Amino acid sequence: MTFKQPTIDTSPKVSDEIKKTTCYMCACRCGINVHMKDGKVAYIEGNRDHPVNQGVLCAKGSAGIMQVNAPSRLRAPLKRVGPRGSGEFEEISWDEALDMAVGLLQPLRENNPEKLAFFTGRDQSQSFTGFWAQNFGTPNFAAHGGFCSVNMAAGGIYTMGGAFWEFGQPDWDRAKLFMIFGVAEDHDSNPIKMGIGKIKGRGGKVIGVNPVRSGYNAVADEWVGITPGTDGLFILSMVHELMKAGKIDLDYLAQFTNAPVLIDPDTGLFLRDDDDKPLVMDQVTGKLTAFDKKGVRPNLAATYRNAGKTHRTVMALMAEKYLDPQYAPEAVAEACGVPAKKIKAIAAELARVAFEESFELDQSWTDFRGETHDKMVGRPVAMHAMRGISAHSNGFQTCRALHVLQILLGTVEVPGGFRFKPPYPKPVEEHPRPHGKVTCGSPLDGPHLGFTRGPEDLMLKEDGSPIRIDKAFTWDNPMSSHGLMHMVISNAHAGDPYKIDTLFMYMANMSWNSSMNTRGVIEMLTDKDEDGNYVIPNIIYSDAYSSEMVAYADLILPDTTYLERHDCISLLDRPICEADGAADAIRWPVIEPDREVRGFQTTLVHLANRLGMQGFVHEDGSPKWEDYADYIVNHERKPGIGPLAGFRGENGDKVGRGEVNPNQLEKYIENGGFFVEHIPEEAKYYKPWNMAYQNWAVGMGIYDAPAPYLFQLYSEPMRKFQRAAEGHGDRQPPENMRERVKRVMDPLPIWYEPFEDREIDLEEYPIHALTQRPMAMYHSWGTQNAWLRQLHGTNPLYLPTKLWEQHGFKEGDWAKVTSTHGTITVPVALQEALNDNTVWTWNAIGKRKGAWALDENAPEAKQGFLLNHLIHELLPGKDDGMRISNSDPITGQAAWFDLRVKIEKVDAPQNEQTSPDLPPIKSPVGKGPEKLKWKVGQ
């Protein structure tokens, strides 16, 4: 008798229904299927139909269920009743909370709008929060980009009209050589994992440039363990080698970049015609011609003699600069920590793949000069970079140098190379300039953030003082397109450039892991003046969780979790587009909150309605929108253009441009929470110059008219700032800033040593110290997540073999780590795949005792730590006592990765507690249960 096998259901039903929405566990914005049982979240998986992740989901995304059920969730509006930092609050009603907020904000709006500083974290809705701040009338608004990656974004836009990540992506299906610079595992993780798999699966090569070999760099075929802060020097050395060998795409440079544009030798500005168009020399006629004239063949080697002056091309200036021996591999190898032989080999490999493995697509296209091309030429070299090269005081020029490297190889917007994602590419001219004119009781005169074209766009008052509290768009950082969030609290505390009344922040953990100088910021938030009043009088804060920052606010407006609210991932902001199509998405309440919380964006609508803010109310004072969902559907930024591009028009059959569709959100939900409009085949490449793409973009509402442009190898806006420092024009920098502006604002990318290296004793502080985010974490939210904590509950300081042996460390040892600003005592671990002179740790693992509903002896609070305690928002003082911002001098990006330290071996603390060990803070939600468990469904 045969044994009867038991019948097993290998695919049990896991849900009653599936609701499709958008993940918020990192910035990928992947599509997710949320499985529901009895109205509760049971399981989260990837949405196979979604354009971003195609069903792939990481640990963070799956762990979203634990975020929605976290014990640290705030439960109701809170009013502080004890001293700041005590964590003593009482719950109040929403009406009382909004009345309190309006009571603070209304007098400011009517009399001193600039005394409101409104800054947000990773809110992913900056077009809306900026719209709110603009209508309030304060000049003081920005999001977290100023301390994250503005160098990457602005460097790309000023050079080629877009950058990496949300701006563009490699041609994953055709690239054969993929080179990444400074990329950790938290950003764009699923698309990069999928892309690397494709490249390696067909035999392509991946080169990783990063001091730390983890994640993507660990699976790279070749790892370059570069010295932090020297990426720009390494890149320009490869530019030197390529130019020296003649391995550059001359036709691409002549047709699509400003390499052939002629420069006035007296001003360093472009030679222009009466229509203000840059001039080139036509190879056919030998005459000066506008760059975009039909049939023109720009001459890269041209010279033009006029009035005793010889005008040369941008290409000639580049050759003169980069062929200089200072950029030779032998000259830079020691500083970069990369052997000259390796620099030469990588440059040769880039050239070999770009030119010897070039290919063609049988696809015709017509360029902006009216010429039709039968083929699209592919150069299968693609690059990607992130915060690792951006968060340095030389980061802007480094990012520009990387774009120049790509452009010289002809690998941008071609098959196999780097491709833009709509709404990019956009030249600087298509972006707004910054605005800061304050009129009491009225909106600001335009968007806060933008792209300066010259000194005339700086945000300076008539006396030369800054308009903005963060000093963005001043001579300290003339091109600070994202603002300087890391300087807001310190400037407000110092009353420099002026005092504020109310600090209003959203999802920005500024009293802990989001601030340089963490302990100093805590002191600033709690400091009182001689009359016993807080120096920063009022703090309003919104978050979904009981973070460290909650204890320092006076009024808490509790946010929902991401599955309990509407969000809009918009083409007006940070969309989910792919290179082959424009795409946007929504989040929507797949569950209803079980607490007295509201989505922050809805709270802003309610505040605006009570304040009677223009833009939010009709002439009779009645509200235009009741909540954020109402705004998403019915707001029009201009006629026919709204937050969402899909399902527009009365019948939902229009895309990009179209009338309001009252059922738009329902259409998105039916479609899986997203919308995508694919680019026509003939428009998929050469987007900045391809008229098929330009016309498609106009139809989508990306442009109002076609806007083809040249890549800016030579930046004329930078030259204008440099000229002002040389003594030209009506608006010039102060004397103490002239030399710095002249030096750093070179219109061709340069490298200079990080500022901290010049300000401190490198013999005393010889070691570089970095942080990276692990793939399982993104926001500080992650380390209170019951699943993700099991992956990264603690974070040792990783040391390379050289330092490990030099100091006699062994497993289980501890070290004292000291910078010019502070000291920490932490556990150490050995990592052999690490730059010889660099130590590092995971970012944002360490937690303040009492926060996040964690036990005071939780590993994150006991053995977790932050490098933030070693960093300061200001560089060490000079002999004259002046201290400057620890930021990039062009964009103001926080220079997190310039940190230098020294280390020494110490005995392990008896209780194995890292230091500094700040006193516990009281949490308004108390402490979570020892075991977190619940049952969903039957």
Side-chain angles (χ1 to χ4, degrees):
M1 186 174 180
T2 58
F3 176 74
K4 185 178 180 180
Q5 294 286 348
T7 301
I8 298 174
D9 184 0
T10 56
S11 298
K13 185 179 179 182
V14 297
S15 57
D16 302 322
E17 62 177 325
I18 298 173
K19 296 183 177 181
K20 298 176 184 288
T21 186
T22 305
C23 187
Y24 197 10
M25 294 299 288
C26 81
C28 282
R29 286 83 46 90
C30 294
I32 52 174
N33 296 340
V34 183
H35 290 255
M36 308 293 295
K37 275 190 176 182
D38 295 344
K40 296 183 179 180
V41 179
Y43 171 60
I44 298 174
E45 66 177 350
N47 179 354
R48 292 174 181 265
D49 299 321
H50 200 273
V52 171
N53 58 316
Q54 299 164 36
V56 174
L57 200 64
C58 68
K60 297 190 296 293
S62 296
I65 188 173
M66 308 306 286
Q67 211 69 30
V68 172
N69 294 286
S72 63
R73 291 172 303 157
L74 296 170
R75 300 179 185 130
L78 299 168
K79 180 176 72 173
R80 179 176 58 81
V81 294
R84 270 195 204 155
S86 67
E88 296 175 7
F89 293 92
E90 68 175 17
E91 290 189 1
I92 57 176
S93 70
W94 270 104
D95 279 340
E96 187 176 355
L98 294 175
D99 284 345
M100 284 182 62
V102 170
L104 294 174
L105 299 175
Q106 187 75 59
L108 300 184
R109 183 167 178 269
E110 293 174 354
N111 303 304
N112 301 102
E114 69 277 5
K115 290 192 175 293
L116 170 66
F118 178 49
F119 286 77
T120 70
R122 293 181 177 88
D123 63 285
Q124 298 185 9
S125 59
Q126 289 156 33
S127 76
F128 174 72
T129 50
F131 180 74
W132 189 93
Q134 182 180 336
N135 279 280
F136 184 91
T138 178
N140 295 314
F141 164 79
H144 88 293
F147 64 63
C148 178
S149 56
V150 65
N151 278 333
M152 187 60 63
I157 287 172
Y158 275 105
T159 307
M160 60 182 192
F164 303 111
W165 189 28
E166 290 167 324
F167 300 83
Q169 66 184 93
D171 189 348
W172 297 117
D173 294 321
R174 294 185 172 92
K176 297 181 180 179
L177 177 57
F178 181 43
M179 195 168 184
I180 55 175
F181 295 79
V183 181
E185 294 85 75
D186 63 319
H187 279 88
D188 207 18
S189 58
N190 287 333
I192 290 181
K193 287 183 290 188
M194 294 157 62
I196 288 177
K198 284 184 176 181
I199 290 172
K200 293 176 76 71
R202 60 173 176 270
K205 182 175 182 179
V206 178
I207 301 175
V209 182
N210 197 313
V212 181
R213 190 166 199 183
S214 64
Y216 308 130
N217 295 279
V219 300
D221 300 284
E222 185 171 354
W223 171 62
V224 181
I226 197 165
T227 299
T230 66
D231 302 82
L233 193 57
F234 169 67
I235 291 164
L236 292 177
S237 185
M238 291 192 291
V239 168
H240 172 95
E241 285 294 291
L242 292 169
M243 295 185 79
K244 181 179 172 183
K247 297 293 186 179
I248 56 178
D249 192 334
L250 295 175
D251 183 64
Y252 183 96
L253 292 168
Q255 295 295 324
F256 306 134
T257 80
N258 69 1
V261 171
L262 290 155
I263 301 291
D264 184 319
D266 290 340
T267 64
L269 302 177
F270 299 152
L271 206 58
R272 295 176 179 269
D273 66 10
D274 293 340
D275 295 324
D276 205 35
K277 292 184 177 182
L279 292 169
V280 299
M281 186 75 76
D282 187 1
Q283 291 186 39
V284 178
T285 66
K287 294 181 179 180
L288 290 180
T289 308
F291 77 94
D292 60 350
K293 185 176 179 181
K294 186 173 182 178
V296 67
R297 291 288 184 272
N299 186 347
L300 290 170
T303 59
Y304 173 64
R305 184 79 177 167
N306 184 49
K309 299 186 297 184
T310 299
H311 302 71
R312 296 191 297 160
T313 63
V314 168
M315 191 72 221
L317 300 183
M318 291 179 66
E320 181 179 350
K321 180 180 286 286
Y322 300 129
L323 289 174
D324 189 290
Q326 68 172 310
Y327 293 112
E330 293 80 6
V332 309
E334 183 177 356
C336 294
V338 183
K341 184 177 180 181
K342 175 169 276 195
I343 297 173
K344 291 181 178 182
I346 293 174
E349 181 74 352
L350 290 172
R352 185 192 67 77
V353 176
F355 299 111
E356 295 180 21
E357 298 197 31
S358 177
F359 60 94
E360 294 180 340
L361 299 184
D362 289 323
Q363 176 63 59
S364 64
W365 65 285
T366 301
D367 69 24
F368 65 104
R369 297 186 180 97
E371 181 175 349
T372 297
H373 306 259
D374 294 332
K375 309 281 187 183
M376 291 181 169
V377 177
R379 303 210 180 278
V381 173
M383 298 183 186
H384 183 75
M386 272 310 297
R387 192 185 293 122
I389 69 170
S390 182
H392 292 281
S393 51
N394 58 19
F396 180 79
Q397 289 284 27
T398 292
C399 293
R400 288 200 70 229
L402 180 54
H403 298 315
V404 167
L405 173 63
Q406 296 184 94
I407 292 166
L408 287 174
L409 290 167
T411 65
V412 179
E413 260 306 311
V414 301
F418 171 82
R419 305 175 65 196
F420 292 115
K421 301 178 183 179
Y424 298 93
K426 282 187 179 182
V428 167
E429 291 75 19
E430 287 294 307
H431 291 270
R433 301 170 190 260
H435 294 77
K437 184 181 179 183
V438 174
T439 303
C440 294
S442 296
L444 202 68
D445 60 331
H448 302 79
L449 305 176
F451 292 81
T452 55
R453 323 294 205 254
E456 67 277 9
D457 293 329
L458 293 178
M459 293 290 97
L460 297 172
K461 298 179 181 178
E462 289 186 9
D463 63 1
S465 64
I467 288 174
R468 293 173 53 103
I469 188 66
D470 59 358
K471 301 185 182 179
F473 307 109
T474 67
W475 290 109
D476 288 349
N477 32 254
M479 301 167 86
S480 44
S481 300
H482 287 182
L484 284 79
M485 190 165 170
H486 58 293
M487 296 303 301
V488 172
I489 292 173
S490 56
N491 287 358
H493 177 264
D496 178 19
Y498 48 80
K499 291 185 178 297
I500 66 168
D501 177 87
T502 299
L503 176 64
F504 188 6
M505 305 196 95
Y506 172 50
M507 209 173 68
N509 201 13
M510 301 304 291
S511 70
W512 198 244
N513 63 282
S514 289
S515 276
M516 296 172 149
N517 182 21
T518 299
R519 189 188 294 245
V521 167
I522 290 172
E523 292 172 356
M524 294 174 201
L525 294 173
T526 55
D527 192 23
K528 294 184 177 182
D529 61 23
E530 56 189 17
D531 296 323
N533 299 313
Y534 285 114
V535 175
I536 300 176
N538 302 293
I539 300 176
I540 305 173
Y541 185 58
S542 179
D543 204 327
Y545 305 100
S546 183
S547 68
E548 286 86 354
M549 184 64 196
V550 165
Y552 296 93
D554 307 312
L555 174 64
I556 302 295
L557 305 173
D559 192 18
T560 65
T561 66
Y562 71 101
L563 295 183
E564 299 170 317
R565 64 161 181 255
H566 283 97
D567 271 335
C568 179
I569 301 101
S570 169
L571 283 172
L572 301 178
D573 200 347
R574 300 168 62 186
I576 60 163
C577 302
E578 296 296 298
D580 287 334
D584 57 17
I586 64 166
R587 297 186 188 94
W588 58 284
V590 301
I591 53 173
E592 292 296 324
D594 57 357
R595 313 164 314 288
E596 289 297 318
V597 298
R598 297 179 183 177
F600 178 66
Q601 293 84 359
T602 286
T603 297
L604 288 182
V605 172
H606 293 167
L607 284 173
N609 292 344
R610 290 185 178 224
L611 291 165
M613 282 167 46
Q614 291 98 319
F616 283 81
V617 299
H618 298 291
E619 289 187 9
D620 64 0
S622 62
K624 291 183 177 180
W625 311 294
E626 295 298 325
D627 55 22
Y628 188 48
D630 194 3
Y631 164 90
I632 292 171
V633 171
N634 291 298
H635 172 65
E636 289 186 289
R637 194 56 58 95
K638 51 188 175 182
I641 305 285
L644 292 172
F647 310 109
R648 300 194 66 80
E650 185 177 349
N651 299 316
D653 56 356
K654 295 183 179 180
V655 301
R657 298 177 185 270
E659 303 81 12
V660 166
N661 173 12
N663 299 313
Q664 190 178 36
L665 290 179
E666 288 75 11
K667 288 287 189 179
Y668 269 80
I669 292 170
E670 289 173 12
N671 199 56
F674 69 92
F675 167 81
V676 60
E677 177 72 5
H678 293 290
I679 299 171
E681 286 296 325
E682 69 273 20
K684 287 186 175 180
Y685 295 96
Y686 300 100
K687 293 186 184 84
W689 321 290
N690 187 331
M691 291 312 297
Y693 175 79
Q694 293 288 318
N695 292 327
W696 177 86
V698 170
M700 283 295 299
I702 293 170
Y703 304 136
D704 287 332
Y709 62 97
L710 299 176
F711 285 168
Q712 301 294 294
L713 301 170
Y714 182 100
S715 173
E716 195 175 45
M718 296 183 72
R719 175 58 192 152
K720 289 179 180 178
F721 287 113
Q722 194 180 49
R723 265 178 60 76
E726 294 168 356
H728 301 281
D730 297 330
R731 185 174 266 185
Q732 299 177 20
E735 285 300 323
N736 66 324
M737 297 291 293
R738 287 184 186 270
E739 287 305 314
R740 187 175 94 162
V741 172
K742 280 194 286 188
R743 180 167 57 92
V744 303
M745 300 290 287
D746 195 306
L748 289 173
I750 58 170
W751 181 83
Y752 50 87
E753 63 181 340
F755 282 2
E756 181 159 329
D757 285 7
R758 299 208 318 265
E759 302 292 335
I760 66 173
D761 183 346
L762 293 180
E763 291 188 5
E764 184 176 2
Y765 302 100
I767 301 167
H768 299 271
L770 304 175
T771 60
Q772 287 192 169
R773 284 199 193 274
M775 195 172 285
M777 303 290 176
Y778 175 65
H779 198 276
S780 51
W781 290 343
T783 40
Q784 54 109 25
N785 184 292
W787 288 355
L788 300 179
R789 289 180 64 207
Q790 298 176 56
L791 301 176
H792 297 285
T794 61
N795 58 311
L797 185 71
Y798 292 100
L799 274 65
T801 304
K802 173 185 171 183
L803 294 176
W804 185 266
E805 293 178 348
Q806 179 181 319
H807 291 272
F809 284 110
K810 62 182 184 300
E811 187 175 348
D813 278 348
W814 286 59
K816 182 167 78 170
V817 187
T818 306
S819 70
T820 58
H821 175 62
T823 296
I824 59 176
T825 304
V826 298
V828 295
L830 172 66
Q831 180 178 346
E832 295 180 342
L834 180 59
N835 176 273
D836 278 349
N837 202 39
T838 299
V839 298
W840 77 281
T841 192
W842 297 118
N843 186 16
I845 302 299
K847 291 285 178 280
R848 177 89 179 263
K849 290 181 178 178
W852 302 98
L854 297 175
D855 189 275
E856 290 183 10
N857 290 314
E860 294 87 352
K862 193 170 182 182
Q863 289 198 352
F865 65 91
L866 302 176
L867 284 189
N868 304 57
H869 296 294
L870 302 178
I871 308 173
H872 203 284
E873 74 272 7
L874 300 175
L875 290 169
K878 297 177 181 282
D879 294 338
D880 59 6
M882 294 291 292
R883 299 182 70 181
I884 62 173
S885 172
N886 185 14
S887 310
D888 187 293
I890 300 171
T891 65
Q893 175 166 345
W896 295 97
F897 296 163
D898 284 358
L899 177 63
R900 290 284 201 143
V901 300
K902 60 182 176 182
I903 62 173
E904 58 182 296
K905 183 178 177 180
V906 296
D907 292 335
Q910 191 169 5
N911 61 355
E912 295 194 333
Q913 170 69 58
T914 58
S915 67
D917 179 22
L918 276 62
I921 54 177
K922 184 178 179 181
S923 169
V925 300
K927 190 164 53 175
E930 185 175 336
K931 292 183 178 180
L932 187 62
K933 61 181 180 179
W934 63 89
K935 183 173 179 61
V936 177
Q938 298 301 314

